[in-house]
Amino acid sequence: IVLKMGARTNAPTCSLAEVVPEELEAEVKELAQVSMGTEVSEEDMTNIAELCTQVVEITNYREQLWEYLANRMQAIAPNLTTLVGELVGARLIAHTGSLLSLAKHPASTIQILGAEKALFRALKSKKKTPKYGLIYHASLIGQTPAKGKGQISRVLAAKAALCARVDALGEATQVTIGLEGRTTVEARMRRVEERINGKVKSIGRTPPRKYERPASQQGAAYNKAQDSSLLIKKKRTATEAAEQEEPMEEKPKKTLKKTPKKVAKEEPEEEEEAEAPVQKKRKVVKKEPVEEEEEEEETPAPKKRVVKKTTK
């Protein structure tokens, strides 16, 4: 508009049909005539015009680059493009270096690609690790609520790893597994949204239920006897005790016979002998004395020294 119109004094004479639709053209011209602003010099207008031309050139270049990127991604990685998009797929390939190196990465690494600094910082400080990296800019993750973005990014990374391997090592040039992966991710995204909104209960552990007393026991009084599992003996009343008691029969007394004193003394001695343990008798071997005569015979007698006498 600035390049076509120039100064606001040229508003009623210039035509903006190429830039703005007919409905907005009349409103823009009216506002340009009524607007209150300072007058702009010719030098400022030339600088503004140059800046506007640069902006227009950059937007045209961006459109051309987008078309080129979309065509190249459809030719190189069609499955990854349908799942994640042209821009995110191109960023993942550029970050790893090539499509083949991206196919070698596992799904857990693809999920964090682009957030390596945050990952190592979290591991060093023992904090929570990041849930997503470059894959966060995908359209499917942008559509999910904040609580379910981590779960959807994990599912999307798993499908992206499969699509990258099919594109890098497969022979098909058309979309095969990309559409199936996108439908599964969308179905999972709907389930996550329903669970967050409260329509569907969470899958996994069920929360503990609050105890509700049954209707038959709501008006009943509290029974203390049910607290302990031990049997409690009830106290008997006086009447029950009198009924259960029976007259005790008198037993005849035992009469002890008197025995003489000698017999009474002999009995404990016999008992002591029975109680005492039987001691084993040791065998004593007597050593026979050695006869002196035999020793004298055995020892030889000393020889007598014979001295010869010599005569002169």
Side-chain angles (χ1 to χ4, degrees):
I1 294 169
V2 175
L3 287 173
K4 290 286 183 181
M5 186 182 294
R8 60 181 177 177
T9 55
N10 300 326
T13 57
C14 69
S15 63
L16 303 173
E18 296 178 0
V19 182
V20 182
E22 295 179 358
E23 297 175 357
L24 295 173
E25 185 178 358
E27 293 180 4
V28 169
K29 288 180 179 180
E30 289 178 1
L31 293 171
Q33 292 175 2
V34 176
S35 66
M36 297 176 66
T38 57
E39 294 180 358
V40 182
S41 62
E42 293 180 358
E43 293 180 1
D44 294 336
M45 285 299 298
T46 54
N47 293 326
I48 291 166
E50 288 178 0
L51 183 62
C52 291
T53 53
Q54 288 177 6
V55 171
V56 170
E57 288 175 358
I58 289 167
T59 51
N60 293 330
Y61 176 69
R62 186 180 180 182
E63 290 176 359
Q64 291 175 4
L65 188 63
W66 178 260
E67 290 177 1
Y68 170 76
L69 183 65
N71 293 330
R72 292 297 296 167
M73 286 297 293
Q74 285 291 339
I76 294 168
N79 294 298
L80 187 65
T81 305
T82 54
L83 182 67
V84 178
E86 294 87 356
L87 188 61
V88 178
R91 283 180 179 176
L92 290 171
I93 293 169
H95 190 79
T96 52
S98 64
L99 182 62
L100 187 61
S101 62
L102 180 65
K104 292 177 182 178
H105 283 79
S108 58
T109 308
I110 292 170
Q111 183 182 353
I112 308 169
L113 280 177
E116 287 86 358
K117 287 183 180 180
L119 175 65
F120 292 120
R121 195 189 307 119
L123 293 172
K124 190 176 181 180
S125 60
K126 295 181 180 180
K127 294 182 180 178
K128 290 183 179 180
T129 54
K131 295 179 181 178
Y132 27 69
L134 292 170
I135 206 168
Y136 178 78
H137 300 286
S139 61
L140 291 170
I141 295 175
Q143 294 172 7
T144 56
K147 291 182 179 179
K149 281 184 180 180
Q151 190 174 359
I152 298 300
S153 64
R154 186 166 59 251
V155 177
L156 188 63
K159 298 298 179 185
L162 292 173
C163 292
R165 288 162 193 170
V166 170
D167 292 333
L169 306 172
E171 297 179 356
T173 57
Q174 295 178 354
V175 180
T176 55
I177 200 171
L179 293 171
E180 294 178 4
R182 192 176 180 86
T183 51
T184 53
V185 173
E186 286 176 353
R188 188 66 177 272
M189 189 172 62
R190 287 192 215 97
R191 272 186 282 167
V192 170
E193 286 178 358
E194 289 175 356
R195 189 184 65 191
I196 291 167
N197 294 331
K199 293 180 181 179
V200 180
K201 293 182 180 178
S202 60
I203 301 165
R205 293 186 299 174
T206 56
R209 294 181 181 179
K210 189 178 180 181
Y211 175 73
E212 293 181 359
R213 186 180 288 182
S216 60
Q217 296 181 2
Q218 283 182 2
Y222 182 72
N223 189 6
K224 292 182 179 180
Q226 294 180 356
D227 286 347
S228 63
S229 59
L230 300 173
L231 295 173
I232 300 167
K233 294 182 178 179
K234 295 181 180 180
K235 291 183 179 180
R236 293 183 298 173
T237 58
T239 56
E240 290 178 356
E243 289 176 358
Q244 290 179 2
E245 286 180 359
E246 294 179 357
M248 299 293 288
E249 294 180 356
E250 293 182 359
K251 294 181 180 180
K253 292 181 180 181
K254 293 181 180 180
T255 56
L256 297 172
K257 294 180 181 180
K258 292 181 180 181
T259 56
K261 292 181 180 180
K262 290 181 181 180
V263 177
K265 287 181 180 178
E266 289 176 358
E267 288 178 359
E269 290 178 0
E270 292 176 358
E271 290 177 356
E272 287 177 1
E273 289 177 359
E275 289 177 359
V278 179
Q279 294 181 354
K280 293 181 180 179
K281 293 181 181 180
R282 295 181 181 177
K283 292 180 181 180
V284 179
V285 180
K286 291 182 180 180
K287 293 182 180 180
E288 295 179 356
V290 182
E291 295 181 356
E292 294 179 358
E293 294 177 358
E294 291 178 0
E295 289 180 358
E296 289 177 359
E297 290 177 1
E298 288 178 0
T299 55
K303 292 180 180 181
K304 292 181 180 180
R305 192 173 183 182
V306 181
V307 179
K308 291 181 181 182
K309 292 180 180 182
T310 57
T311 56
K312 291 181 181 181

